[in-house]
Structures are given as C-alpha cells and as structure tokens.
C-alpha cells in the first residue's frame, strides 16, 4: 500500500495550522504536505514535525499573491526575478524541514497573452528551478490542474506536461499527478499513471465530484491503490481533499482501504 501524507492546507482545518501536525500524527499519518510554509519560521515547523515523528513530503514554490488570486507565477515574463527569488526561499525552507521535493504551480494564463512567450517563460523558469533544486538535493515537480476549478490555469493535462518536460530537458523535473484534477481533465487514470510512471514523482487524491474524501464519488480508489502497488509506484500520495463534514469524521476511508 502506498504511503499517505495529510495535506494540512485542507485537512484538520478545525485547528490552527501548527496544531494540525499533531492531529495528523494522531490520525495515523506519517507524512504531511501543504500549500506553503512561508508564513511561519522554518524552525517552528521543523519542531512540530520532529515532535510528531512526521516526514515533510511536499510544499509549493512561492506562487505570488494567493489571497489576491494568483495561482503561480512561473508563466509570467515580467515576474521572472520574483520566481527566482522564490526558488531560493523554497530551498532555504526545504533544507531546514528535510523536504526533498517541491511543486511548481504554473499560473493562470492572462487573457490575450502571447502564447509563445508564456510557454518560453515557463520552460526557462522550470529549467532554472530544476537546476537550482538539483544542486540542493531537491526534486522539482509540476502540477496539472483542471480548468473547472481554476479557469485558464496554464498546465491542464498529462500530455501537455510531458511535452513541457521534454522542452525543459532537465532530469530533475517530474510530474505531480493529482487524481482528482486528472479525472476531470482526461480520465483513463490507471493507464496514464502506468504509462508515465517514470515521470511521476508525487500523487495526490480527492474524489470526484465534490473533491471530498475517497468513497464519496465516482473514482474506484480501492482499484487505484492496488494498481499503484502493481506498477511499482514508490512515492507518497498526498490527501488533498475537502472533508465532506469534519476531517475526523471523514477518515473512515483509511481503515476501509487498510491504509491504517
């Protein structure tokens, strides 16, 4: 059975962020991920990880003004210096937290944008980040996101991500495969994962529709968990879902699937 990490940006939100680490450990999780660590001192987060025996699995590169609507800045030619500064900030946090992979959110395509310039900027930024992160012993992943939840998000499908990866041409760039997003955008989950396993370094989950816990929607998670074992997936699965009620009430899927 794969290893599961609690996404603390979406789970245990009944508690303050720093208290969610203990809640995750108590629920049986051995790893955690979240959107961003940057609002807290790295040493304070590290203390919570250590106190609860948790592995820091993943967080995102700085993604701009999240509250203001940014969902990544990697595609914007006018924000390259901001992106590069964010890479340095992510490395500094990752070194303290023991984090060995970070995710790059591409961003929302502006209306009327020059498509060639957007793609060129994204490729160059990914190449820069992949090189810098590799020197620090950290893997870079990029995430495909559905355009229903985030209209005009730039990176939408596995095929597009693989084409971008080829253009970047750096060995330290992988895919983050979110089952929920890809069920909406392309389906054919098991075959796509198996065919591209070498390029996938992180998986996330939520059911569809609703983006709630496994077992609330159409996705056959029992089959997918067994399939990931069969094909030899060695990474973590981030539980990035919105609990239908409370986090604790929605954790029954873990016992049902023998996760804990």
């Amino acid at each position: 059975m794969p290893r599961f990490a609690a996404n603390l940006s979406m789970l245990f939100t009944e508690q303050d962020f720093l208290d969610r680490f203990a809640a995750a450990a108590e629920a049986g999780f051995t790893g955690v991920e979240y959107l961003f660590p940057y609002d807290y001192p790295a040493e304070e987060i590290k203390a919570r990880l250590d106190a609860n025996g948790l592995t820091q699995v993943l967080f995102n590169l700085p993604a701009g003004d999240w509250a203001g609507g940014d969902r990544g800045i990697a595609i914007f030619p006018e924000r390259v210096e901001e992106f590069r500064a964010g890479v340095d900030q992510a490395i500094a946090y990752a070194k303290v937290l023991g984090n060995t992979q970070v995710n790059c959110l591409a961003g929302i395509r502006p209306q009327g944008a020059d498509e060639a310039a957007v793609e060129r900027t994204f490729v160059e930024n990914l190449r820069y980040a992949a090189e810098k992160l590799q020197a620090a012993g950290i893997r870079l992943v990029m995430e495909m996101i559905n355009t229903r939840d985030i209209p005009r998000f730039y990176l939408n499908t596995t095929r597009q991500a693989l084409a971008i990866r080829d253009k970047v041409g750096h060995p330290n760039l992988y895919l983050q495969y979110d089952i929920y997003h890809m069920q909406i955008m392309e389906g054919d989950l098991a075959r796509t994962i198996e065919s591209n396993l070498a390029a996938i370094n992180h998986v996330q989950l939520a059911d569809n529709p609703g983006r709630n816990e496994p077992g609330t929607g159409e996705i056959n998670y029992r089959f997918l968990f067994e399939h990931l074992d069969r094909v030899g997936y060695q990474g973590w699965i981030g539980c990035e879902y919105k609990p239908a009620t409370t986090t604790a009430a929605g954790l029954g899927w873990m016992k049902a699937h023998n996760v804990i």
Side-chain angles (χ1 to χ4, degrees):
M1 184 61 67
R3 298 170 294 169
F4 292 84
N7 187 297
L8 300 185
S9 296
M10 299 186 76
L11 301 186
F12 306 105
T13 58
E14 303 87 355
Q15 304 182 47
D16 291 337
F17 177 73
L18 291 175
D19 294 329
R20 297 173 198 171
F21 292 82
E26 185 176 347
F29 288 100
T30 57
V32 294
E33 63 175 35
Y34 37 76
L35 287 174
F36 311 106
Y38 311 113
D39 287 340
Y40 301 88
E43 293 76 12
E44 192 168 356
I45 298 175
K46 176 63 172 171
R48 301 298 177 115
L49 291 166
D50 292 346
N52 294 287
L54 293 168
T55 298
Q56 175 64 54
V57 173
L58 177 91
F59 56 77
N60 296 320
L61 292 173
D65 181 5
W66 194 262
D70 281 340
R71 291 298 180 265
I73 59 174
I75 62 171
F76 298 102
E78 70 276 13
R79 301 179 76 170
V80 169
E81 291 306 313
E82 181 184 353
F83 177 85
R84 293 187 173 192
V87 173
D88 290 338
Q89 186 178 21
I91 290 171
Y93 268 81
K95 286 182 175 179
V96 174
L97 301 178
N99 191 68
T100 58
Q101 61 182 350
V102 298
N103 178 43
C104 177
L105 294 169
I108 296 172
R109 180 193 290 106
Q111 296 281 13
D114 182 326
E115 291 296 323
V118 166
E119 181 183 274
R120 182 171 60 252
T121 301
F122 190 39
V123 167
E124 291 174 354
N125 276 336
L126 287 169
R127 188 179 297 127
Y128 174 87
E131 182 66 26
K132 290 276 287 189
L133 289 163
Q134 183 178 60
I138 303 165
R139 287 186 174 184
L140 175 65
V141 295
M142 57 178 170
E143 182 178 12
M144 304 83 73
I145 293 179
N146 81 76
T147 53
R148 181 186 303 160
D149 288 356
I150 306 181
R152 302 196 319 276
F153 191 83
Y154 180 73
L155 194 63
N156 310 133
T157 67
T158 303
R159 177 178 295 182
Q160 181 193 7
L162 291 170
I164 291 289
R165 186 172 185 252
D166 285 344
K167 291 179 180 180
V168 173
H170 197 286
N172 191 38
L173 176 62
Y174 300 86
L175 274 58
Q176 175 170 302
Y177 190 90
D178 188 305
I179 293 168
Y180 163 76
H181 289 303
M182 292 302 95
Q183 171 69 357
I184 293 171
M185 293 304 297
E186 61 191 25
D188 203 17
L189 303 169
R191 188 187 304 273
T192 302
I193 291 170
E194 183 173 6
S195 299
N196 300 290
L197 188 65
I200 296 171
N201 202 56
H202 191 61
V203 171
Q204 291 179 324
L205 63 75
D207 218 328
N208 182 63
R211 203 175 186 178
N212 303 131
E213 53 264 43
T216 58
E218 66 187 358
I219 300 173
N220 186 347
Y221 270 106
R222 183 174 299 280
F223 171 82
L224 281 178
F225 294 155
E226 293 173 353
H227 180 73
L228 286 165
D229 280 342
R230 281 195 300 270
V231 301
Y233 176 68
Q234 298 296 311
W236 289 82
I237 298 180
C239 300
E240 192 184 47
Y241 63 83
K242 298 182 292 186
T245 55
T246 66
T247 303
L251 290 176
W253 70 270
M254 298 179 72
K255 292 181 180 178
H257 292 291
N258 299 316
V259 173
I260 57 172

